Amino acid sequence: MATKTDPKPAGVAAEKIRSEGKTYEGLSREQLIEAYRIMYTSRRVDDREILLKRQQKIFFQISGAGHEAVGVAAGFALKPGYDWFYPYYRDRALCLTLGATQHEMLLMAVGAAADRQSGGRQMPSHWSFPKFNVVTQSSPTGSQILQAVGCAEGGRYLAAHPQAAKKSEGDYRQFKEVKFQRDEVTYVSLGDGATSEGEFWEAMNTASNRKLPVLFVIEDNGYAISVPVEVQTAGGNISRLVAGFPNFHFEEIDGTDPVACYAAFVRTAAHCRAGEGPGFIHAHVIRPYSHSLSDDERLYRPDAERNRDAARDPITRMQMFLIRESILDENGINKLEKQVEDDLQVAVDQALDAPPPTPDTIALYVYSPNLDPTDSALQREPASPVPAADGKKLAPKTMADLINATLRDEMRRDERIVIFGEDVADCSRQQYLQEKLIKGKGGVFKLTYGLQNDFGCDRVFNSPLAEANIVGRAVGMATRGMKPVVEIQFFDYIWPAMMQLRDELPLIRWRSNNGFSSPCVIRVAIGGYLTGGAIYHSQCGESIFTHTPGIRVVFPSNALDAAGLLRTAIRCDDPVLFLEHKRLYRETFGRAAYPGPDYMIPFGKAKVVQAGTDLSVITYGAVVPRALQAAQKLEREQGVKVELIDLRCLNPFDWETIAASVSKTNRAIVAYEDTLSWGYGAEIAARIADQLFDHLDAPVRRVAAKDTFVAYQPILEDAILPQAEDLLRAMKELVEY
Ligand SMILES: Cc1ncc(C[n+]2csc(CCOP(=O)(O)OP(=O)(O)O)c2C)c(N)n1
Ligand SMILES: [Mg+2]
C-alpha cells in the first residue's frame, strides 16, 4: 500500500514514537482503523444480507464486496451534507462512511415501513439519504450521471445567484430547502459496464465543456454481469478513451488500496473545488461475489481468474496492512471485528422485527403532498387588457406570443428558473448580441426569443444536441430546488430522453419516499397538420406519458389556456410535460390578449368550448378547432347541439366534466390527433363505457389518426390525421344511432 512517511529512525523506541504521529497520505492511524471498521462492516452487511436472502427473509441482494476501499476513501475525502452524491449500488462502504447506518440499510433490504430511503419501494442498495446529500438512486445503469452534472450546475448557479435560494410562499419554493456551497463537489460513480451508456458520454462532454465540479468515479471490476471489460470498452481501458476531454483531472488507481484511493480523491476534489473542472477517478477493483445473488460467475470465470482477484481482496489487504504497520495487532483486529458482528446482530434483529408498509401507502408521494395543482383556488381571471396608447384595445396575441410573455414574467418573478435546450438562446456567442450585430434566434419556433437578452446567458442557454442531456440535467437541477424549464425541440425527438422521462423524472419523489423531488417543466413542440411535416415533425404520442405515474401532462388548444397552464406548470411542485401544438403556435384560432402576470388555470379542469344537449365531443389540442368547425356545421345543417369539451390537461384529466356532459347528452365521441389504437382517447372511452354505461344511448366512438405515422405528401397527411369532415361524419352517425 502507498504510504508517505519520513525515513525510518534507528531503534525500536524511536520508531514507536515516530509512528504514533505517522500519517498515510494524510490519514491518521485512528482514521485507518476507522476505515477498516467501515470496510469490514460493509462486507459483513453483505454477507448477512446474502444469508437473509437464502432464508427468504429479504427479496434481493446486490453486494458492494470488493469496492469497499474506494468507497471509504471517497467518504473520507468528501463531506456529507456539503458535497453531493450520486452513488451506484456497490457504494455501501461510501454510504456507511458518510454516516448511513447498517440499520437503515437492512430496513431497506426487508422493505420495512420504517425504511426512510424508499418506504419499501426500492431494492436494497438503492441509496437515498437526504441529510447527507445522497440523492435517490435507481436501477438503470448510467441514468444518474447527467443528473449529477445538473446538480453541479445547480450548485454553481445558486452560488452566483444566492438570493434565488430564498424560500418564497405560494409556489413550489415554499416546500424546498435549498442549500449550496461555493466549493462543493458532486460525486457520481458507476461501473465499467455503465461507461458504455450514451448518457455517460453526454455527461462527460457537458462537465468538461462547462468546467463543472463533478467527480466521476469508475469502479472498474472488469465485468458487467458476464461481459468482460475488453468487450465493453474499446481497447479495454476507459481512462485511455476519455483522456482527451479538456479541463479534467484524471487518476487511474488501485481501488483496493484505501490509502492510494484517498490520496487520489484529495487531489481530484481539490481540482474540482478550485473551479478548475471535473475529476475522473478510474479505480480498479474486484467483484468477489458474482454480479448479484441471481448470478453465478463460475459459469463464465475460471477459478484461476477468480483466485487472482481474491488475492487483491481489500478486506484482507487492509487487515495485513494494519498489522504490518503495527496499527492494530491480531488481538485488536479480532476485537474490532467482534464489535462489528455484535452491532450487526442488533441491526439484523431490529430489521427483522420491523413491520412492513401497509398497502394503503402505495399512492403516497406519486405527486407532491404539499401543493395540489388542481386546487380551484389557483384560478385567476385574466387582467383586463391594458389599453394601447391610442386608446384601442390591445391586439390579440398568438399562443407563441403568450408563452413567451409568460416565460418572461415568470423568470422575472422567480430567479430559480433557467431555460435551456436546443437553439433556445438568442445567440450563444454573446458578443454578437452585445454589439447588436444580430437580432437573436430564441428557438426554432421563437418561443424563447429575447429571454437571453433580458435575463443573461446563465439563465437562458443552448444545450448540446442531446435530449437525454437536456432532461437529465434538468432533473439534477430541480432536485436541488432549481426550476429548469427546458425545451425539447420536436416531440418526434423526445425518445433519447425516454430513460430520464420514464424511469427517473416521474419517480424521484415516489421512490425516495418523499425524500427528494424534481419538479421541472419540459416544454415540447408537438403535433401535425403542418403540410409537409412528415413522419419526423408531426408525431403525437402523449398517451405514452399519461401512462407514466408521477408526471403531469398538459396540452392547451389556445393562447389564453397556454399562458394560464404554463404558469401553473412552472409554479407546480410536480414535474410537468407541457405539450405545445406547433400548428396552434400562430393560428388565428384562440388568440388572446396577454392575461397578466398572475393568470393561472388549475390542472385537471376541462373547458366547455360550447354547451350542447345532443352529443358530447371530448377532445384537446389541435382537434379542438376542427371539432368546433364540425359542430357548428352540424348545428347549422341539422340543428344538432354538440357539447364540445376541451380537456386542456391530460393528467390529471377532468372526469367530472366528462361525466356530467355524457350523463346529459347520452352520446360521446372522444377525438384525438394521435393514432387510434391504444391512444389517449382509449382510456376515456373505456371509462365512459365502464362508469356511464347506464346513461349511454349509443356506443362510445373514437375519432383519431390512422394507425400509421404521418406522411409528407399533403394528400396523405390529410387522409391520416382526423379532419373536420371525419368528425362531422362521426357526429352525424352517432346522433342518428
Ligand atoms: C440500462 C440498464 N440496462 C441493463 C441493466 C441490467 N444490469 C444491471 S447491472 C448490469 C451490469 C453493470 O455493470 P457495471 O457497470 O460494470 O457495474 P458492476 O455491476 O460490475 O459493478 C446490468 C447489465 C440495467 N440495470 N440498466
Ligand atoms: Mg463492472
Side-chain angles (χ1 to χ4, degrees), residues 302-339:
D303 285 347
E305 185 184 302
R306 296 174 58 236
N307 291 339
R308 270 201 305 280
D309 256 19
R312 291 178 59 222
D313 191 306
I315 305 292
T316 36
R317 285 189 72 190
M318 185 65 177
Q319 249 182 29
M320 277 149 48
F321 170 78
L322 293 176
I323 292 171
R324 196 174 62 238
E325 290 292 315
S326 309
I327 295 171
L328 277 182
D329 57 17
E330 239 170 88
N331 193 24
I333 298 234
N334 288 340
K335 247 173 84 181
L336 180 152
E337 292 182 353
K338 167 85 170 55
Q339 187 61 53

Side-chain angles (χ1 to χ4, degrees), residues 88-90 139-141 191-194 197 221 223-225 291 499:
Y88 93 133
Y89 45 85
R90 303 222 191 266
S139 300
T141 49
D192 44 291
E197 294 284 1
N221 55 21
Y223 276 91
I225 310 187
H291 172 72
M499 181 65 90

Side-chain angles (χ1 to χ4, degrees), residues 473-545:
R473 287 163 65 193
V475 174
M477 287 184 200
T479 306
R480 297 287 303 265
M482 302 271 298
K483 178 63 78 168
V485 180
V486 298
E487 180 177 301
I488 298 288
Q489 201 164 71
F490 291 91
F491 185 87
D492 317 65
Y493 310 128
I494 202 168
W495 314 118
M498 203 59 199
M499 181 65 90
Q500 293 291 336
L501 286 167
R502 169 75 192 178
D503 279 3
E504 295 293 332
L505 177 62
L507 272 157
I508 299 279
R509 191 189 289 277
W510 190 78
R511 78 179 188 214
S512 69
N513 205 24
N514 207 31
F516 291 95
S517 63
S518 184
C520 55
V521 179
I522 320 283
R523 294 180 39 249
V524 193
I526 192 168
Y529 299 109
L530 302 178
T531 315
I535 306 165
Y536 301 108
H537 297 84
S538 304
Q539 290 176 30
C540 278
E542 55 276 10
S543 62
I544 292 168
F545 297 97

